[in-house]
Amino acid sequence: MITLHHLENSRSMRILWLLEELGVEYQLITSLRDPKTMLGPEEQTQVHPSGGWPVIEDGGVTLAESGAITEYLLAKVGDEKWRPGPDSPHYTDYLYWLHFAESTLQPFSFMSLVFSRMPQSAPGLIRPILNKASKAVHQNFILPRSERYLGLADAHLAENEFFAGDHPTGADVMMIFTLETSLSRFPNAKRYGHVLRYVRAIQARPAYQKALAVGGRYDYAPI
């Protein structure tokens, strides 16, 4: 049986959703965030040296990183509708959006979170300076690029139900958390109507609802 080490309110919701979609029997171990630091327990390093989530254990395999776990699970138990092969007309879309999620859009969503919290944790005397710097970074660097990338996703979803064809794939597993956090953190993100439609459709799926029910706190649903 696969064991999923899951952190509440995190990208490991992707893997929980995927396991539910695939109908795989699994054991769930959920960690809670510290209410002050918002970090998970340090003991996670005993599960994987990175100390991060998600992590799966499958027999003698211990694997971290949501993208790697997605590819591993789909190679092991997924069929072609979940991972289009090189002969599929959706193959390049599958590859592109599978990697776009973490390498292109998610960094800007994460930077938005970090820079918005940075002034709050600073000493009072320098807080106004950091607040001004944070706003400048958001306005001149983070927002323009995030809007460009959200626009790419929106244009693609205007012509496609999912990111790689007419059925969810590993690309959707990776993109959903990235889009959920973007819709939560960027003030104008909800003007991308196709992205909004897509996220709500994924969140309405029975397997996703089951993942929400068992996964603990998750601030990014419903949108």
Side-chain angles (χ1 to χ4, degrees):
M1 182 187 298
I2 290 171
T3 297
L4 170 61
H5 296 266
H6 166 67
L7 178 65
E8 64 171 356
N9 214 30
S10 79
R11 56 176 38 83
S12 60
M13 179 59 71
R14 290 167 166 155
I15 307 305
L16 189 51
W17 170 45
L18 178 58
L19 289 168
E20 290 292 343
E21 286 279 3
L22 295 176
V24 175
E25 188 177 2
Y26 66 92
Q27 177 186 11
L28 181 64
I29 299 176
T30 300
S31 295
L32 305 181
R33 292 182 181 272
D34 183 287
K36 292 184 178 179
T37 67
M38 296 306 295
L39 300 176
E42 278 294 320
E43 291 77 13
Q44 181 67 1
T45 55
Q46 298 172 19
V47 178
H48 192 276
S50 69
W53 290 263
V55 174
I56 62 165
E57 293 179 282
D58 182 26
V61 172
T62 299
L63 185 63
E65 293 294 337
S66 56
I69 293 169
T70 295
E71 295 201 62
Y72 174 86
L73 291 174
L74 293 182
K76 184 169 184 177
V77 296
D79 56 30
E80 287 187 0
K81 65 185 179 182
W82 277 97
R83 54 182 188 105
D87 295 333
S88 168
H90 305 298
Y91 181 61
T92 53
D93 281 339
Y94 173 71
L95 289 179
Y96 178 75
W97 295 106
L98 181 76
H99 294 282
F100 175 96
E102 284 291 310
S103 65
T104 301
L105 181 54
Q106 190 64 46
F108 290 95
S109 177
F110 182 70
M111 281 190 282
S112 177
L113 176 66
V114 170
F115 277 92
S116 66
R117 290 182 175 177
M118 185 173 61
Q120 304 169 15
S121 59
L125 288 176
I126 65 170
R127 195 171 299 159
I129 299 173
L130 286 180
N131 190 51
K132 185 175 181 179
S134 174
K135 288 181 179 178
V137 172
H138 267 91
Q139 189 66 33
N140 298 317
F141 180 67
I142 296 175
L143 289 180
R145 285 160 179 79
S146 65
E147 290 185 356
R148 178 191 303 170
Y149 301 141
L150 283 168
L152 285 176
D154 197 68
H156 184 75
L157 291 171
E159 300 180 358
N160 299 273
E161 184 178 2
F162 300 101
F163 277 100
D166 57 2
H167 186 279
T169 66
D172 299 283
V173 174
M174 294 301 295
M175 284 296 295
I176 184 61
F177 176 78
T178 296
L179 292 179
E180 287 172 328
T181 56
S182 294
L183 287 167
S184 173
R185 293 168 185 168
F186 298 128
N188 297 324
K190 289 185 179 180
R191 67 185 174 89
Y192 296 100
H194 301 293
V195 166
L196 192 60
R197 181 270 308 165
Y198 166 84
V199 170
R200 286 173 171 166
I202 295 292
Q203 291 181 346
R205 293 177 67 86
Y208 192 95
Q209 289 294 311
K210 177 66 181 300
L212 286 176
V214 301
R217 177 184 171 188
Y218 191 67
D219 293 342
Y220 307 113
I223 292 294

